[in-house]
Amino acid sequence: MGRAPTFDADAVVRAARDVFWAHGYEDASLPALEAATGLSRSSIYHAFGSKRGLFDAAVASYLADVVRPRLRVLTADPVAPDALARYLRGLRDALTATGSAAAAHGCLLLNASGAPVAHDADVRATIAAYRDELRAGIGRGVDAAHPALPDDERARLAEACTALVVAALLVVRVDPDAAARSLDAALGLAA
């Protein structure tokens, strides 16, 4: 019988999440993961099966701790008419805040979409599900803000706002001003 882990798994996953978020899956070295988590390579493999297993746990943590709390304003029941504007302003604030992880690193999942790890079917499915979750939340915000618009116009508006959010999350690492402009454009569309 194996012995029980003597470490805080949530803390380890959060520390690994920060390494993957900053460097991406491929460039997150095992020595960097060992240093961040305080675990040896063998302990990482024993607890998570592989570097990829640790990455999967980090992605789940990212969704639970970073993405979904921000989306909560759009997933409430009922969604307030100003929820989409509050979401977009909050995201803009996060992406323009000096020193924030979001400003420095963008989106962990969207960054992974352009990396070799995205060739894995499970990673692709996770990224697609994330984008769908984002689109659904934004769609609910559009519906609450503009209930009188025809369905097809609300769908187009939600799709455009989603695309602008994705663009902002992708470009923030290299051009924070462009990210802010994308979110400002989404705010303008949503108004």
Side-chain angles (χ1 to χ4, degrees), residues 9 12 18 20 38 54 65 71 78 83 86 89 112 116 135 139 141-142 144 160 188:
V12 164
D18 292 344
F20 288 123
L54 182 55
D65 297 344
L71 282 175
R86 284 189 288 138
R89 282 193 303 271
R135 167 57 179 83
V142 167

Side-chain angles (χ1 to χ4, degrees), residues 109-138:
L109 284 164
L110 293 176
N111 293 342
S113 71
V117 72
H119 295 293
D120 180 278
D122 291 336
V123 172
R124 256 193 334 271
T126 299
I127 294 167
Y130 160 66
R131 197 262 182 213
D132 291 346
E133 186 175 350
L134 177 63
R135 167 57 179 83
I138 289 173

Side-chain angles (χ1 to χ4, degrees), residues 67-68 70-88 129-145 154-155 157-159 161-162 165 190:
V67 171
R68 292 188 180 119
R70 185 169 308 286
L71 282 175
R72 198 167 290 129
V73 68
L74 297 171
T75 59
D77 195 20
V79 176
D82 69 337
L84 180 57
R86 284 189 288 138
Y87 166 79
L88 292 168
Y130 160 66
R131 197 262 182 213
D132 291 346
E133 186 175 350
L134 177 63
R135 167 57 179 83
I138 289 173
R140 292 188 78 215
V142 167
D143 291 346
R154 287 196 321 265
L157 179 56
E159 199 59 46
C161 287
T162 301
V165 166

Side-chain angles (χ1 to χ4, degrees), residues 169-185:
L169 291 167
L170 284 170
V171 76
V172 69
R173 294 174 87 171
V174 295
D175 192 344
D177 292 335
R181 286 192 305 273
S182 286
L183 293 173
D184 289 342

